[in-house]
Amino acid sequence: MPRSKGPAQPPAETGPAAARHLPEATLVRLTQYLRALTELRDAGRSSASSEVLAEAAGVNSAILRKDLSLLGSYGTRGVGYETEVLAQRITECLGLTHEWRVSIIGAGNLGRALSGYGGFRNRGFSVVALFDASPDLIGRDVNGLRVANVAFLEDVLTFTRTNMAVLAVPGPVAQELADRLVRIGVRSILSFAPVVLQVPEGVTLRKVDLATELQILAYHAQQAGQTGLQRP
Amino acid sequence: MPRSKGPAQPPAETGPAAARHLPEATLVRLTQYLRALTELRDAGRSSASSEVLAEAAGVNSAILRKDLSLLGSYGTRGVGYETEVLAQRITECLGLTHEWRVSIIGAGNLGRALSGYGGFRNRGFSVVALFDASPDLIGRDVNGLRVANVAFLEDVLTFTRTNMAVLAVPGPVAQELADRLVRIGVRSILSFAPVVLQVPEGVTLRKVDLATELQILAYHAQQAGQTGLQRP
DNA sequence: TGGTGTGAACGGATTCACAGCC
DNA sequence: GGCTGTGAATCCGTTCACACCA
């Protein structure tokens, strides 16, 4: 579509590239669309309308169309979106065609849970190493991985060509480990440690905080005056 | 709502209550301020400026002052905020003075990790039950809790007076369990299952999706052209 | 003087509504 | 007729800048 002006078209982009900068909120939803598309396709649907797809992804259809329009025109008016084509397009956009090699630092309960999480392998992520500092854990087999000594972190990250790391360690040692990760060249870190981490520009850090999640639930429950089980 | 105009002042609120409706983004930061305040207080600081506090919480000071102003005036001009007083105020606002009784559904790696997570107990959450469907797990002791049979979910939730639940179960059974939780009266659910869950109005559902987090990291890494370790 | 509290400006994201295409 | 794609309007959240106060 030869859009005249408006929100700055990427000037004559070749191929199906486009999508320079996707808003964070859109990114989150794209991953949901991707899952919904996979389910619909596996259920034998070759196409779906924005209404159906939005329902499956748990969002409203207006925002879905808006999001998808950022990737370019991949729907057919009067019909909908081809599940296969669109899934492929989103996969490309998210950078999931590349193989991501993930190391998990910390082989406690959480680290072990993550290393066995099936949702990773399905989506282009391989867990290539699992580290701990405890002699009780080092050398043990966890989900087919041998727990490595975190003293050799740098060597193993290099050897395994790790390009993404998950921090599942206690708060007090998290910053120190993040520093080591950054120094050896890891630029993408997901942290479960309940502390504020400082990383230099150019490193992407995401945080998941379990206590925060419960605290926010508590706020909403309190707001609604729900202090116990609410029989209907 | 008869909103007159402007940013709608709560008309003449009595007592230190106020704070009808805190924005979601503010809630997330309040939990960060709370942690930062606890650390500062434990380090012996009885007061801190917005600048210091923001630094400790990993945000900028303007948004911190804005957030805190929503709770009422708790700072002293020229001085800052009293750590003790402010921590108490935030604790109240978030509804953390009440005791929250959490049941965890699913005693796999993730469920076990969560049941042992120290960050909960410290913040007014007690894990009161842990469930699973597998005969291999039922009856086993995990972090001082006996794994209960999920067949008796309703009875145990009632007995333990559970008012918050965490779903750490495989996707395919998550909706069914969410339905049972809702039916028995649970109104606050945190789900780790990688599926879209439907819950009725009045039930607060939060989702943590590990695959989504990695996918978003992948996007940013790809944007920056980082496909391997980046030596400095 | 130093630092809070807050209107006002700004920017980003969501919703609305419909033109345009199949 | 049905559904996408998208301007316009709206809502929400952040940043700015400064009046005001201890």
Side-chain angles (χ1 to χ4, degrees), chain A residues 219-220 222-224, chain B residues 1 8-23 27 69-72 89 93:
Chain A
Y219 170 80
H220 289 297
Q222 176 218 224
Q223 280 302 90
Chain B
M1 165 168 290
Q9 210 67 355
E13 188 65 52
T14 56
R20 290 300 81 184
H21 232 30
L22 299 172
L27 284 177
S69 76
L70 296 176
L71 311 189
R89 177 73 179 121
C93 277

Side-chain angles (χ1 to χ4, degrees), chain A residues 103-219:
Chain A
S103 281
I104 297 173
I105 327 297
N109 276 308
L110 183 58
R112 291 202 296 273
L114 295 170
S115 74
Y117 180 50
F120 292 161
R121 236 167 293 271
N122 297 343
R123 293 160 211 277
F125 299 97
S126 320
V127 179
V128 296
L130 177 59
F131 295 88
D132 209 286
S134 158
D136 294 346
L137 288 171
I138 292 167
R140 279 202 2 205
D141 180 277
V142 173
N143 298 307
L145 282 171
R146 191 173 160 284
V147 177
N149 188 337
V150 75
F152 304 131
L153 182 71
E154 287 77 4
D155 290 341
V156 178
L157 291 180
T158 304
F159 179 73
T160 55
R161 306 196 315 283
T162 290
N163 47 16
M164 209 170 263
V166 177
L167 277 177
V169 299
V173 298
Q175 182 66 60
E176 174 201 335
L177 284 164
D179 291 344
R180 287 175 68 187
L181 290 172
V182 168
R183 213 174 305 126
I184 193 76
V186 175
R187 291 289 172 267
S188 304
I189 302 175
L190 175 60
S191 172
F192 287 84
V195 294
V196 175
L197 294 180
Q198 305 292 344
V199 295
E201 185 122 353
V203 175
T204 309
L205 172 72
R206 289 186 68 85
K207 270 198 57 177
V208 174
D209 190 324
L210 306 173
T212 291
E213 298 297 329
L214 285 197
Q215 288 173 346
I216 293 173
L217 278 183
Y219 170 80

Side-chain angles (χ1 to χ4, degrees), chain B residues 117-125:
Chain B
Y117 179 51
F120 292 161
R121 235 166 293 270
N122 297 343
R123 292 159 213 276
F125 299 96

Side-chain angles (χ1 to χ4, degrees), chain B residues 189-211:
Chain B
I189 302 174
L190 174 60
S191 171
F192 288 84
V195 293
V196 175
L197 293 180
Q198 305 293 344
V199 295
E201 185 122 353
V203 175
T204 309
L205 172 72
R206 289 187 67 86
K207 270 198 58 178
V208 174
D209 190 325
L210 307 173

Side-chain angles (χ1 to χ4, degrees), chain B residues 23-39:
Chain B
E24 198 69 14
T26 295
L27 284 177
V28 173
R29 287 189 299 265
L30 283 178
T31 69
Q32 296 165 354
Y33 305 155
L34 187 52
R35 177 153 48 223
L37 283 165
T38 310
E39 283 165 9

Side-chain angles (χ1 to χ4, degrees), chain A residues 45-53 65 74-83:
Chain A
R45 296 195 63 145
S46 63
S47 75
S49 70
S50 63
E51 198 63 57
V52 166
L53 190 46
R65 290 201 303 279
Y74 281 81
T76 311
R77 292 175 197 231
V79 179
Y81 302 89
E82 281 187 59
T83 52

